[in-house]
Amino acid sequence: MDTTLKRLSDYHFWAMDRLLKYLEALPQVPQTCLKLMQHIVNAESIWLSRIEGEKPVVGVWEERPLADCLILHARSARQLWAIMEGDQDLERVISYVTSTGDPFSNNIHDILIHVLNHGSYHRAQIATALRANNIEPVNTDYILYVRNL
């Protein structure tokens, strides 16, 4: 197993859990933040379904309550860890069709890196949107994660 990929995935799920629980505790979640969080967990699910050779069960911008985001995210975490700890060849190429109908092929390793990076990108957007709504965002920096290992 790629230890860097394992560490980044552990960080990703720590940061997502931390942010999801933070948002859930807010009296009101700004709509932009909710939409971005929905998108992150939907995209995780879609990419992992593609790796498993399954049809995605969610749409990329499908709306869902925050509590359902927690459930979908937990399912994705279990699925990703099973992929990484199983006998999957991370260099195996997966062919898939994007949500816009375009066909592509990438190896599992690159898809997993994309999923992890995609989450970081949108968590930063959520932090920016929280600040724009005068809400101090929760810290999900990688260095905070490794300091607490």
Side-chain angles (χ1 to χ4, degrees), residues 75-118:
R75 186 179 317 140
S76 292
R78 289 189 301 275
Q79 202 174 357
L80 185 134
W81 288 323
I83 289 167
M84 289 187 359
E85 293 175 357
D87 58 1
Q88 290 268 8
D89 173 11
L90 296 182
E91 296 305 316
R92 182 168 59 94
V93 174
I94 303 295
S95 296
Y96 58 92
V97 177
T98 65
S99 58
T100 58
D102 298 317
F104 287 98
S105 297
N106 295 98
N107 68 42
I108 293 172
H109 189 265
D110 288 338
I111 290 171
L112 294 178
I113 290 172
H114 169 72
V115 168
L116 303 174
N117 190 54
H118 180 258

Side-chain angles (χ1 to χ4, degrees), residues 43-89:
E44 285 173 352
S45 178
I46 291 167
W47 281 110
L48 295 169
S49 294
R50 289 173 178 162
I51 291 171
E52 298 288 337
E54 299 170 356
K55 185 177 181 338
V57 295
V58 298
V60 72
W61 289 104
E62 186 175 314
E63 295 182 11
R64 69 189 65 259
L66 200 52
D68 290 353
C69 288
L70 279 158
I71 294 166
L72 185 58
H73 174 68
R75 186 179 317 140
S76 292
R78 289 189 301 275
Q79 202 174 357
L80 185 134
W81 288 323
I83 289 167
M84 289 187 359
E85 293 175 357
D87 58 1
Q88 290 268 8
D89 173 11

Side-chain angles (χ1 to χ4, degrees), residues 20 23-25 29 34 37-38 64-71:
L20 278 161
L23 293 176
E24 195 173 44
V29 178
L34 181 58
M37 184 54 72
Q38 293 163 344
R64 69 189 65 259
L66 200 52
D68 290 353
C69 288
L70 279 158
I71 294 166

Side-chain angles (χ1 to χ4, degrees), residues 30 32-33 70 109 128 131 137:
T32 301
C33 299
L70 279 158
H109 189 265
T128 300
R131 280 194 181 99

